[in-house]
Amino acid sequence: MSEIPGDLKFLSSHEWARLEDDGTVTVGISDHAQDLLGDIVFIELPEVGKEVEAEGDAAIVESVKAASDVYTPISGEIIEVNSALEEQPETVNGSPYDDGWFFKVKPINVDEMSNLLSPEEYSQVCED
Amino acid sequence: MKKTFLYEDHLSHGAKMVDFSGWSMPINYGSQIDEHHQVRNDVGIFDVSHMSIFKISGQNAESYLRYIFSNDVKKISSKNKALYGLLLNENAGIIDDLIVYCLKGDFLIVSNCATKEKNEAWYQKHASEFDVSVDYIDNQGILAVQGPNSIKVIEKIFGGEASSLNTNECVKVDGVMIAKTGYTGEEGFEVICENKYLRKIWNSSIESGAKPIGLAARDTLRLEAGFCLYGSDMDESVNPHACGLTWTVDINDQDREFIGKQAFLNINEKDEQKMIGILLKDKGILRSGYEITHIDGKGTVLSGTFSPTLKKSIGLARVDQTNEQSGLVKIRNKELEIEFVSPRFLKKI
């Protein structure tokens, strides 16, 4: 498994969140998650403008094997989605932390980030 | 958990192992989509030693099989051939699907692993009436070498007699049985032999160009070919008509009595739901259990997946009789359009 970038925070359900310089939060799924899912073949992204609540479902990822909900680690408004994934969902398998991001949230309360797991804590969750 | 003889070999090829009805089996060795294409375009090798092998012995083996099996074993009994068919119960419900092999007068049955105990009890229940013995063979394994280049691999390992077999023919070479059968919709072979030969055949196949293929790709391959999977597409609650398997019930010899015959003959195919192939026109993935509606009624998705060859979602479904060519499927509160097609999504063989 590839190394987890240090600036990410995680939900134990395998989503990551990155606080960007402009105050928005980018969300995706972890390398461990894409590995568990196997070949990803379909992604349903939220609509831009939608309000989402932390740990509520925001997107759906389907591998050949199964469909899974993707939860948002942070509450706020969806301000951008990675529509390139609709044509090339397999990007998530190859680049879960960069090109394979799902959506960006304008957070209501950025302090929610402190509720999330650090890379070390998340790695522990994956090992358990 | 039970392990096949090649368990360590799977690990050394990087397999992800899963619990498959009590067997630790390779689900994939990397990308299951790459493995799928490998079989469609070149050649792959599967360890399917979890499947059950039974040997039927005794003078009345043929009569016994003609009684418990939906297809008529008489068609293969003087030949070296394989025959696909069903075990039916008295109501013509499907107990299992299986292949009967006849090789030099010996009969072998290969069937699913999840149904092993149930089938064994069924075989034994009827064995005494025919004075035959039915033995589970646990010192043998099965490899499937599948794909357009499988002929080259088989020729290299077993020679021309094996590689030139026609569909459903089988032969024994140096104690190893090779049959031109498979579950992928590609040209291919299944090899049944004692465990001690498996590793050599596995390694020789890989040296000859075959790549290891997991059970995940096996599922997408069989679905593109329109082959039913026991437990998903059929079970004891449905009869052969509702599975597109009417052809596996051979009623040509009117004197042949077999279990489920009377019930089968009493069923009017037009009163039954029918099995169809479905293609999702929009993006998304069809999954087992999704509800279908069409102008004349409704139905259910049985197996659904993403087809790596067609690059869209396909499935098998059981629906009320209709001549309609399309309908709707409900996916997470959305109704999406599906096309009704032949289950043979790829008409290669």
Side-chain angles (χ1 to χ4, degrees):
Chain A
M1 207 182 300
S2 66
E3 201 160 300
I4 300 175
D7 56 344
L8 301 186
K9 297 277 208 166
F10 291 85
L11 281 176
S12 57
S13 50
H14 309 293
E15 294 82 359
W16 56 260
R18 179 193 289 121
L19 181 60
E20 307 292 351
D21 294 341
D22 63 1
T24 64
V25 174
T26 307
V27 175
I29 66 167
S30 73
D31 189 41
H32 183 68
Q34 70 76 21
D35 188 54
L36 288 178
L37 285 164
D39 290 309
I40 293 170
V41 289
F42 176 68
I43 291 170
E44 195 173 303
L45 294 164
E47 278 174 31
V48 171
K50 191 184 171 189
E51 301 285 339
V52 291
E53 205 167 314
E55 298 188 43
D57 51 304
I60 289 157
V61 56
E62 299 214 33
S63 67
V64 185
K65 271 179 255 173
S68 305
D69 287 321
V70 176
Y71 303 108
T72 175
I74 192 151
S75 310
E77 181 192 345
I78 304 285
I79 52 162
E80 195 181 341
V81 295
N82 186 4
S83 20
L85 298 184
E86 287 169 359
E87 291 307 316
Q88 291 186 305
E90 66 274 15
T91 306
V92 177
N93 289 118
S95 181
Y97 297 127
D98 294 301
D99 297 339
W101 63 278
F102 277 55
F103 52 85
K104 290 183 197 283
V105 179
K106 185 180 169 190
I108 296 169
N109 176 9
V110 80
D111 291 345
E112 280 181 358
M113 290 293 284
S114 62
N115 301 334
L116 303 175
L117 304 172
S118 69
E120 294 73 27
E121 289 166 329
Y122 174 69
S123 298
Q124 194 60 48
V125 168
C126 295
E127 277 168 36
D128 290 345
Chain B
M1 206 167 337
K2 283 176 275 189
K3 291 173 182 170
T4 74
F5 193 76
L6 295 174
Y7 177 79
E8 296 295 334
D9 303 72
H10 299 312
L11 294 185
S12 71
H13 282 280
K16 184 181 283 181
M17 307 299 284
V18 296
D19 178 355
F20 191 85
S21 300
W23 288 80
S24 179
M25 296 301 293
I27 187 85
N28 56 262
Y29 300 82
S31 162
Q32 73 170 89
I33 291 179
D34 291 349
E35 289 170 24
H36 180 108
H37 293 314
Q38 174 71 26
V39 174
R40 283 271 176 264
N41 303 325
D42 191 353
V43 52
I45 183 163
F46 307 72
D47 177 12
V48 287
S49 301
H50 61 306
M51 296 194 74
S52 309
I53 308 170
F54 289 93
K55 186 174 178 17
I56 318 295
S57 340
Q59 277 198 338
N60 302 322
E62 182 192 320
S63 308
Y64 169 74
L65 285 166
R66 293 189 80 203
Y67 179 68
I68 65 162
F69 193 49
S70 69
N71 217 333
D72 193 348
V73 168
K74 195 161 195 175
K75 286 183 283 195
I76 60 164
S77 54
S78 54
K79 302 165 187 168
N80 296 326
K81 283 196 87 170
L83 187 66
Y84 176 81
L86 308 169
L87 279 189
L88 298 177
N89 63 25
E90 290 82 356
N91 306 318
I94 301 173
I95 297 173
D96 203 3
D97 67 329
L98 39 95
I99 292 184
V100 174
Y101 293 93
C102 181
L103 186 56
K104 297 186 171 168
D106 287 338
F107 289 104
L108 281 185
I109 292 176
V110 173
S111 54
N112 293 295
C113 81
T115 51
K116 187 216 159 202
E117 316 294 331
K118 177 177 88 163
N119 291 3
E120 192 161 26
W122 187 260
Y123 297 144
Q124 299 303 352
K125 184 179 162 190
H126 298 283
S128 55
E129 302 159 36
F130 289 86
D131 194 27
V132 295
S133 60
V134 181
D135 299 296
Y136 178 72
I137 308 297
D138 61 2
N139 68 338
Q140 297 196 16
I142 309 176
L143 298 173
V145 180
Q146 302 278 307
N149 288 328
S150 60
I151 294 173
K152 290 181 200 163
V153 173
I154 293 297
E155 185 178 11
K156 204 163 169 191
I157 303 173
F158 299 105
E161 198 187 352
S163 67
S164 61
L165 290 171
N166 292 314
T167 301
N168 290 329
E169 286 179 347
C170 52
V171 68
K172 205 161 212 172
V173 178
D174 298 334
V176 175
M177 176 178 148
I178 301 114
K180 190 87 182 277
T181 52
Y183 195 49
T184 61
E186 285 302 324
E187 192 129 48
F189 300 82
E190 289 176 307
V191 178
I192 304 180
C193 62
E194 284 181 48
N195 287 332
K196 62 183 179 190
Y197 300 130
L198 287 172
R199 181 160 293 127
K200 193 168 176 216
I201 298 168
W202 171 267
N203 287 332
S204 304
S205 298
I206 290 169
E207 282 161 24
S208 308
K211 296 223 168 90
I213 311 294
L215 294 184
R218 186 171 165 84
D219 191 55
T220 53
L221 288 159
R222 71 93 191 168
L223 200 41
E224 285 184 352
F227 296 146
C228 291
L229 173 64
Y230 194 80
S232 296
D233 308 314
M234 54 185 162
D235 56 37
E236 292 191 34
S237 71
V238 290
N239 65 63
H241 291 307
C243 305
L245 293 173
T246 307
W247 66 274
T248 69
V249 187
D250 189 334
I251 50 172
N252 287 322
D253 179 354
Q254 293 181 1
D255 294 333
R256 181 172 78 104
E257 288 306 321
F258 58 93
I259 303 170
K261 180 181 180 181
Q262 205 48 54
F264 178 78
L265 293 174
N266 290 342
I267 297 164
N268 183 353
E269 191 172 355
K270 294 280 170 260
D271 297 337
E272 296 296 307
Q273 287 195 313
K274 64 171 180 176
M275 171 86 81
I276 57 168
I278 51 174
L279 270 173
L280 184 62
K281 291 189 171 179
D282 292 292
K283 284 182 187 291
I285 309 293
L286 297 163
R287 303 283 181 195
S288 174
Y290 285 179
E291 292 166 18
I292 293 171
T293 50
H294 59 71
I295 210 157
D296 300 311
K298 53 191 173 50
T300 313
V301 179
L302 304 167
S303 290
T305 195
F306 174 79
S307 158
T309 306
L310 302 175
K311 299 195 171 24
K312 58 172 80 172
S313 184
I314 60 169
L316 293 176
R318 190 168 290 123
V319 297
D320 294 334
Q321 291 288 344
T322 181
N323 292 320
E324 283 297 304
Q325 304 292 305
S326 66
L328 295 171
V329 65
K330 197 169 172 187
I331 303 183
R332 292 185 288 269
N333 300 320
K334 268 188 244 171
E335 299 228 291
L336 301 178
E337 206 177 329
I338 46 176
E339 204 178 323
F340 295 172
V341 296
S342 157
R344 300 273 164 146
F345 295 96
L346 301 181
K347 298 181 188 72
K348 291 190 88 168
I349 61 170

